[in-house]
Structures are given as structure tokens and as C-alpha cells.
Amino acid sequence: MGQKIDILIVEPGKAPHRSTVRDSLESLQQIVGGPIDVGCYLPQRVMLVCNGEGKNTGLPPNRPNPANPQDRICGTFLLCGFEGEHFASLTPAQRTQFQTYFALPGSEGGSGQ
């Protein structure tokens, strides 16, 4: 661990932005502001990582959950690739697709799935 990976960070009320971070539990927890939940797997081998306690701790609503549009992700979340059990950098195609999908704050998402 400790290698750097390219990710997208999606904050409430803002468009997704690219970032390079250290591939560590601590780095990801710092971005989402608490314990991570990595249960949402998206197309193209992309993983959505959010604060697992975001709703319970009153974090602001961010975007609809792609896995369940009636649910909302609360607080900042990030998108990264995965290889087996390890986080990985997003490819340029993955970044483009998910920057578009999550482009508008509060949007219902695009049809990029």
C-alpha cells in the first residue's frame, strides 16, 4: 500500500474533480470524512467509496445512489478503479464517463451505465 492512484472526488454541490492520492485506508477515510463503505460497484470496474455513516451523522445529501436511485449518498464520495481486492487508478475513459455521469450536483445521473 502507499502507492498513488488517480481518483475522482465528488463533493456535495460541486462537479467531480480529479485527484491523486495515496492508496491507503487512512487517505480514503480522510477524503470521505469517516469510515469507508465500498459496497457500490459501477460499470467499467469502478468502485464508489463513501462514508459508511454519512446518513447517520447528518452529512449533506450529495447524489442519488446509482445502485438504488431512491437512495442518496450523503457526504463526499470518491470513485476509483479496482483490481482484485486492491484499489487502482481510474483510466481516462473511466474518468470521462463518471465525470459526465455525476457532472451536475444533485443530478439524477446520466445514462452512462
Side-chain angles (χ1 to χ4, degrees):
M1 300 297 272
Q3 180 178 354
K4 296 206 175 212
I5 58 173
D6 292 324
I7 64 170
L8 284 178
I9 297 175
V10 184
E11 299 175 85
K14 297 182 181 178
H17 63 91
R18 182 179 173 185
S19 185
T20 301
V21 299
R22 197 166 50 92
D23 177 15
S24 71
L25 179 62
E26 295 79 19
S27 293
L28 301 181
Q29 286 176 326
Q30 185 174 19
I31 292 167
V32 302
I36 63 170
D37 181 4
V38 294
C40 188
Y41 298 94
L42 302 172
Q44 293 194 32
R45 299 188 57 78
V46 172
M47 183 179 298
L48 189 152
V49 178
C50 64
N51 183 325
E53 299 176 353
K55 288 181 194 148
N56 298 333
T57 58
L59 293 179
N62 190 340
R63 305 287 202 283
N65 183 338
N68 177 2
Q70 284 72 40
D71 187 27
R72 295 194 69 83
I73 300 166
C74 292
T76 297
F77 65 90
L78 65 95
L79 302 164
C80 63
F82 63 95
E83 296 173 4
E85 295 182 12
H86 300 282
F87 297 119
S89 289
L90 292 171
T91 66
Q94 290 168 327
R95 273 195 315 272
T96 298
Q97 178 179 356
F98 289 99
Q99 278 181 308
T100 300
Y101 184 85
F102 291 110
L104 299 175
S107 73
E108 296 305 310
S111 59
Q113 289 194 37

